Amino acid sequence: MKTIATLGSHCALQLLKGARDEGLRTLLVCLKKRANLYRRFRFIEKYVFVDRFDEVVKTDIQEELMREESILIPHGTLISEVGVDLVEKNLKVPIFGNRWILRWEADRVLKEKLMREAGLEAPSQLKPDEIDRLCIVKLPGAAGGRGYFLVSSSEEFNRAAERLMAAGLIKSVDELYIQEYCVGVPVYFQYFYSPLEDRLELLGIDRRYETTVDSIGRIPAKYQLESDIPLTYIVVGNIPLVLRESLLDEAYRIGEAFVEASKKHVPPGMIGPFCIEGVYTESGSFVPFEFSARIVAGTNLYIDGSPYSKLLYDEPMSMGRRIAREIRLGVERGELDKLLT
Ligand code: AMP
């Protein structure tokens, strides 16, 4: 029997609960300092303790995972704490999904390319001397909005860039990514693509709860101006969302276009969970600005299923459980090779 393994963070509880519900074995690569938390949950059967998550590529740890016939489920912590280089070159444990597409998520140039190929028009990128409207400036790395800031002129940008260089946060201005700010309400689509059924499923929708951006509106404008609170987008949680039903068809088309583009440009293409993130503007159009090529933490909302998963399944179907179901089907049909890289 296969073991579902993951790093103890991000959405590990959901993933391992889902695996257990599908009758698979569960293993957690757990930081020693988090043992107390994860020991509370009985669906975790086996632990491999580490001091740091990047130890997952150490030979003895990988051998232990292989002995258990583990399939590793990648999530945001694998990207941020282990990194795509080690995942591509040093991680021998099979991964559920396409490990090569993780680089396309982490690299802004590749990310934009894949989105363009999928017909997803992201807000335009500007050069420092082109800033003539409200722009959001993004720092390198998948840090979940940490350090992003807004500017509306080249002078303002140059001052901020100099401060960042003086603080040693960037080496050159070229590391900063300037994007037109899109006024709208954020919406995150949580998809699952099944290679076994050749079917896309929209399993949930959420929005993020970010500080300080979601807290500034809680104080009157007078104090906002006086206190000059820095705008940050640090995610502290997620809020469930349902979409107007008339927008659902477009949501499916967006996901399907992304799957098709990924097949063409990053073989074997998107496998399993992914997320497309953007805003709906005043004209009611969706402007995408990001994708995550793996499970997102917003799926933790729906451990017991979402309104959308309920329409597709007559049982509670979390993203974690959906992954485990696909793996179980892959084993039963002898088609696991279609799901792992
Ligand atoms: P990201 O790291 O790109 O997912 O962005 C973090 C947060 O920044 C998002 O959740 C949005 O709230 C905000 N954001 C990113 N890009 C834009 C944009 N072009 N326009 C408006 N808000 C954005």
Side-chain angles (χ1 to χ4, degrees):
M1 205 208 312
K2 295 288 174 193
T3 299
I4 299 301
T6 199
L7 304 185
S9 186
H10 195 270
C11 56
L13 291 171
Q14 181 204 160
L15 287 171
L16 298 189
K17 172 77 170 70
R20 199 70 210 103
D21 287 345
E22 288 297 303
L24 298 170
R25 287 188 308 188
T26 58
L27 182 154
L28 188 75
V29 179
C30 186
L31 294 178
K32 289 172 190 151
K33 63 180 182 192
R34 292 202 189 147
N36 279 344
L37 168 68
Y38 287 103
R39 290 260 191 231
R40 293 168 199 269
F41 305 101
R42 278 173 299 169
F43 52 81
I44 305 175
E45 290 165 296
K46 195 171 165 61
Y47 292 82
V48 172
F49 287 105
V50 291
D51 289 306
R52 295 159 46 106
F53 282 128
D54 56 7
E55 288 172 39
V56 72
V57 297
K58 278 171 59 179
T59 311
D60 54 332
I61 303 238
Q62 295 216 50
E63 279 171 1
E64 190 166 358
L65 292 178
M66 307 272 234
R67 262 198 309 278
E68 298 291 327
E69 287 193 62
S70 297
I71 296 171
L72 188 73
I73 315 294
H75 54 54
T77 306
L78 187 74
I79 298 180
S80 63
E81 301 298 313
V82 181
V84 288
D85 285 337
L86 288 183
V87 171
E88 280 181 357
K89 296 191 194 95
N90 298 49
L91 195 65
K92 307 275 185 291
V93 179
I95 278 190
F96 175 77
N98 179 349
R99 72 171 71 201
W100 319 112
I101 206 167
L102 299 176
R103 179 170 293 285
W104 291 64
E105 170 184 335
D107 180 314
R108 285 212 185 278
V109 177
L110 291 178
K111 174 174 265 181
E112 261 204 14
K113 179 170 154 54
L114 190 54
M115 288 180 65
R116 248 195 330 271
E117 297 293 338
L120 297 172
E121 277 305 323
S124 40
Q125 189 191 349
L126 284 89
K127 297 199 179 75
D129 58 1
E130 292 172 339
I131 303 173
D132 58 357
R133 64 204 102 147
L134 187 61
C135 289
I136 182 164
V137 183
K138 303 185 178 187
L139 273 75
R146 201 172 283 269
Y148 288 9
F149 58 95
L150 300 186
V151 292
S152 58
S153 71
S154 302
E155 296 72 38
E156 209 182 335
F157 171 82
N158 291 336
R159 280 199 300 276
E162 270 166 30
R163 272 201 302 277
L164 288 172
M165 281 196 279
L169 291 171
I170 52 163
K171 289 197 187 70
S172 125
V173 173
D174 301 336
E175 290 174 46
L176 295 175
Y177 184 88
I178 311 164
Q179 194 175 52
E180 180 178 344
Y181 188 87
C182 224
V183 179
V185 288
V187 175
Y188 295 76
F189 295 120
Q190 305 164 3
Y191 300 103
F192 183 92
Y193 174 69
S194 161
L196 299 183
E197 310 285 355
D198 184 20
R199 187 178 67 220
L200 181 78
E201 298 166 8
L202 178 68
L203 287 186
I205 306 176
D206 72 294
R207 58 158 299 191
R208 290 186 189 156
Y209 199 39
E210 296 161 324
T211 188
T212 58
V213 69
D214 287 322
S215 52
I216 283 175
R218 295 166 65 95
I219 53 174
K222 174 173 171 302
Y223 300 109
Q224 293 178 20
L225 291 170
E226 277 172 13
S227 48
D228 197 21
I229 298 163
L231 198 60
T232 59
Y233 296 87
I234 297 162
V235 181
V236 292
N238 300 80
I239 302 171
L241 203 74
V242 286
L243 210 59
R244 281 171 57 177
E245 194 156 314
S246 56
L247 298 173
L248 275 184
D249 187 42
E250 185 195 21
Y252 265 97
R253 277 189 280 119
I254 289 169
E256 277 162 356
F258 186 79
V259 168
E260 283 316 306
S262 71
K263 280 184 186 167
K264 207 159 126 207
H265 297 280
V266 202
M270 198 64 245
I271 297 168
F274 67 102
C275 178
I276 294 188
E277 307 154 9
V279 294
Y280 276 92
T281 65
E282 60 176 341
S283 63
S285 50
F286 182 71
V287 181
F289 48 69
E290 287 278 356
F291 68 79
S292 301
R294 34 87 197 166
I295 187 169
V296 289
T299 57
N300 288 340
L301 283 165
Y302 306 121
I303 289 184
D304 211 25
S306 79
Y308 296 107
S309 74
K310 186 72 192 163
L311 296 169
L312 298 171
Y313 294 93
D314 281 325
E315 57 196 321
M317 186 58 71
S318 69
M319 192 64 86
R321 185 169 185 182
R322 184 65 189 84
I323 292 169
R325 170 81 45 106
E326 190 82 356
I327 291 173
R328 195 161 61 71
L329 278 178
V331 173
E332 284 165 14
R333 296 183 190 175
E335 293 184 314
L336 207 49
D337 57 314
K338 287 188 177 169
L339 307 178
L340 309 181
T341 55

